[in-house]
Amino acid sequence: MVRRIAIMDRTSPDVVQEVERVLERRVVSTAGADLAAAGGVDALVEVLNRVDRTTERTIMESLSVQRPELAEEVKKRLFLFEDIVHLDDRSLQRVLREVDMNRDLPLALKTASDEVKQKIFRNISKRAGENLRENIELLGPVRLRDVEEAQAKIVGIIRRLEEQDEIVIRRGSKDEILV
């Protein structure tokens, strides 16, 4: 990964410094741990979640060419369904306009944390919230695979809208938050 970062061009020095800080923290936090746990997909995802979208794209394009299967694994982990709580309300409302509120959202919320559910319910009308609660209850037991597929669809919508610059996913430090 360090080689990939080194061969990127037109990257802000601030981004490189942030990546360096993340890597340093990661190494320090694993100093006494098993060395095999210091790297891997999770470490790369942590770094990519802290860099700007352009840097992420550059790294992912390179990885897609060199190791497509690894790139797919990283993409699946970059933005998790539970990360919805980090979307600002306007972005979440934009996402919800694209989501199937009768099938995908109830399924996706079946195993979601209370924090995610509260965030969703705060961003829909009272009537839509009542319908959503009813749809979740009517589902009954469902396969975890179906829940994960519904969550993946919603994450796919989020990533597509971000790529189209229709929503903003907060990344990196507090200095990067839009006001």
Side-chain angles (χ1 to χ4, degrees), residues 54-115:
T54 303
T55 304
E56 177 192 318
R57 278 189 194 133
T58 303
I59 292 171
M60 289 304 297
E61 286 170 6
S62 174
L63 189 58
S64 294
V65 169
Q66 294 176 6
R67 304 252 334 257
E69 69 289 340
L70 181 57
E72 271 309 305
E73 183 63 29
V74 170
K75 281 181 188 176
K76 288 179 188 173
R77 297 187 192 186
L78 272 175
F79 184 93
L80 302 175
F81 183 75
E82 293 289 321
D83 294 332
I84 282 176
V85 297
H86 301 298
L87 291 175
D88 64 87
D89 290 346
R90 181 176 290 169
S91 293
L92 180 56
Q93 290 163 12
R94 174 65 184 96
V95 169
L96 291 172
R97 286 197 302 266
E98 301 278 327
V99 172
D100 181 338
M101 299 288 282
N102 295 314
R103 169 120 176 95
D104 291 335
L105 191 56
L107 261 176
L109 291 178
K110 189 75 173 172
T111 62
S113 69
D114 287 340
E115 188 179 16

Side-chain angles (χ1 to χ4, degrees), residues 163-174:
E163 286 175 9
Q164 295 171 348
D165 292 327
E166 292 191 39
I167 65 169
V168 175
I169 297 176
R170 287 182 277 186
R171 298 175 184 275
S173 68
K174 293 178 184 174

Side-chain angles (χ1 to χ4, degrees), residues 7-8 16 23-24 51 54 59 67 70-71 83 85 91 96 125 130 145 147 152 157 172-173:
I7 62 173
M8 290 187 309
V16 174
L23 288 172
E24 184 178 314
V51 299
T54 303
I59 292 171
R67 304 252 334 257
L70 181 57
D83 294 332
V85 297
S91 293
L96 291 172
S125 70
E130 290 168 1
R145 180 173 36 126
V147 172
I157 291 169
S173 68

Side-chain angles (χ1 to χ4, degrees), residues 22-33:
V22 170
L23 288 172
E24 184 178 314
R25 281 194 305 259
R26 181 78 174 168
V27 170
V28 169
S29 71
T30 60

Side-chain angles (χ1 to χ4, degrees), residues 147-160:
V147 172
E148 290 171 347
E149 286 175 8
Q151 290 176 347
K153 280 183 187 177
I154 294 170
V155 168
I157 291 169
I158 291 168
R159 291 194 62 80
R160 177 177 52 80

